């Protein structure tokens, strides 16, 4: 066979007839594993995730109380289309599994080959503040760019920082605003009335609602459910 490319172009070499299917299959498998490893590294390096959520998946989510929310989350993964941005907004009381479902979505899409990032917004704001330190090795621009370029970003626990105006809210609006027109998931314990408290919060809520499907998850904190279950069993 004649070499068509490279420094030995025009030279002839021997090759076996037919297809080396096993070799091709092995190469493809190695490439796929390398891609998954790269996506996991991106997720781990850029995500700001609480330790309790690191092992959260669809498989270990207790959907007995929030079956509909669970189904909506699974549907989001199944219908995910990079060219048709869609957002989810999980709103509700503490400890109902909003963050668990969001992590599960991010991990499931990562398995499908998408770049996903999960961000605890209080941790994000702290990390950005730390970049203002003259000894910081990480710049704010690098953080913002990583968030901007991801296929999906989860903004978890919006409003948990407890500030309704000032630098924190303005910076959060800036980060969320530059994700407009892309896939995002938001979780919050705040009510719509609390988002109306200040003009800054209203702007954030307006961006969060853009192309978003709200999923309400009000119920008993799962930590309290476990406590109450244990108390009943010991009666």
């Amino acid at each position: 066979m004649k070499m068509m490319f490279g420094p030995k172009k025009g030279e002839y070499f021997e090759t076996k007839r037919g297809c080396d299917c096993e070799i091709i299959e092995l190469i493809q498998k190695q490439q796929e594993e390398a891609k998954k490893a790269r996506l996991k590294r991106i997720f781990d390096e850029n995500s700001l995730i609480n330790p309790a959520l690191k092992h959260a998946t669809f498989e270990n989510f207790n959907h007995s109380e929030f079956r509909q929310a669970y189904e909506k989350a699974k549907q989001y993964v199944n219908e995910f289309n990079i060219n048709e941005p869609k957002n989810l907004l999980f709103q509700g009381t503490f400890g109902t599994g909003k963050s668990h479902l969001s992590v599960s979505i991010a991990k499931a899409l990562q398995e499908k080959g998408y770049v996903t990032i999960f961000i605890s917004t209080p941790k994000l704001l702290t990390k950005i503040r730390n970049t203002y330190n003259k000894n910081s090795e990480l710049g704010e621009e690098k953080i913002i760019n990583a968030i901007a370029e991801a296929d999906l970003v989860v903004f978890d626990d919006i409003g948990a920082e407890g500030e309704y105006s000032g630098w924190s809210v303005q910076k959060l609006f800036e980060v969320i605003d530059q994700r407009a027109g892309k896939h995002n998931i938001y979780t919050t314990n705040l009510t719509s009335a609390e988002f109306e408290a200040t003009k800054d919060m209203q702007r954030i809520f307006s961006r969060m609602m853009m192309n978003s499907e709200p999923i309400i998850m009000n119920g008993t904190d799962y930590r309290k459910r476990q406590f109450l279950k244990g108390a009943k069993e010991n009666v």
Side-chain angles (χ1 to χ4, degrees):
M1 182 177 288
K2 190 176 182 179
M3 183 73 72
M4 302 301 296
F5 306 98
K8 295 186 177 181
K9 181 180 178 181
E11 296 183 15
Y12 289 85
F13 64 97
E14 292 184 4
T15 182
K16 294 188 294 183
R17 291 185 178 276
C19 174
D20 292 327
C21 297
E22 291 184 4
I23 296 175
I24 293 174
E25 186 178 340
L26 178 61
I27 292 172
Q28 290 175 337
K29 184 178 179 181
Q30 290 175 338
Q31 289 175 336
E32 184 64 27
E33 289 176 352
K35 180 181 179 181
K36 286 186 177 181
R38 181 180 68 84
L39 293 173
K40 186 178 186 305
R41 186 179 70 252
I42 293 172
F43 182 86
D44 292 340
E45 288 178 354
N46 293 284
S47 292
L48 300 170
I49 185 169
N50 294 323
L53 291 170
K54 283 187 179 291
H55 302 293
T57 64
F58 282 123
E59 286 69 27
N60 56 31
F61 178 76
N62 184 354
H63 49 69
S64 58
E65 185 175 356
F66 297 104
R67 181 77 194 188
Q68 186 176 12
Y70 170 80
E71 295 295 345
K72 288 283 187 182
K74 295 276 286 186
Q75 182 181 0
Y76 185 87
V77 173
N78 293 334
E79 297 179 355
F80 190 87
N81 184 338
I82 196 67
N83 298 314
E84 297 178 7
K86 179 183 175 183
N87 304 327
L88 291 181
L89 169 59
F90 290 99
Q91 189 277 331
T93 48
F94 294 98
T96 53
K98 302 182 298 295
S99 300
H100 189 131
L101 282 179
S102 299
V103 172
S104 302
I105 292 171
K107 287 181 177 178
L109 288 174
Q110 181 193 125
E111 284 293 313
K112 286 191 166 191
Y114 295 102
V115 176
T116 66
I117 299 175
F118 181 97
I119 292 174
S120 163
T121 53
K123 288 179 180 288
L124 171 64
L125 294 170
T126 298
K127 194 167 186 175
I128 292 176
R129 275 198 184 97
N130 290 340
T131 66
Y132 301 156
N133 186 322
K134 63 180 181 179
N135 297 320
S136 174
E137 297 180 358
L138 184 65
E140 178 181 355
E141 185 178 357
K142 185 176 181 180
I143 297 173
I144 301 298
N145 287 342
I147 295 171
E149 293 169 5
D151 295 322
L152 170 82
V153 174
V154 176
F155 293 97
D156 185 54
D157 227 2
I158 293 174
E161 59 278 1
E163 297 180 31
Y164 288 177
S165 61
W167 177 87
S168 295
V169 179
Q170 292 171 10
K171 182 57 62 176
L172 184 57
F173 173 79
E174 179 184 328
V175 175
I176 291 177
D177 186 56
Q178 55 89 37
R179 287 289 307 174
K182 299 180 180 179
H183 295 270
N184 304 292
I185 293 176
Y186 311 102
T187 81
T188 184
N189 301 315
L190 300 184
T191 63
S192 57
E194 289 172 312
F195 274 112
E196 294 294 324
T198 65
K199 287 186 177 179
D200 287 337
M201 290 300 289
Q202 289 173 19
R203 289 203 305 163
I204 288 178
F205 192 52
S206 176
R207 288 297 183 274
M208 289 168 58
M209 289 303 297
M210 187 181 298
N211 198 29
S212 289
E213 179 178 2
I215 299 174
I216 309 303
M217 297 178 68
N218 288 319
T220 306
D221 187 325
Y222 70 88
R223 290 171 287 264
K224 290 182 180 178
R225 289 202 299 269
Q226 289 298 107
F227 174 80
L228 294 172
K229 180 182 177 182
K232 288 180 180 179
E233 289 176 349
N234 292 325
V235 171

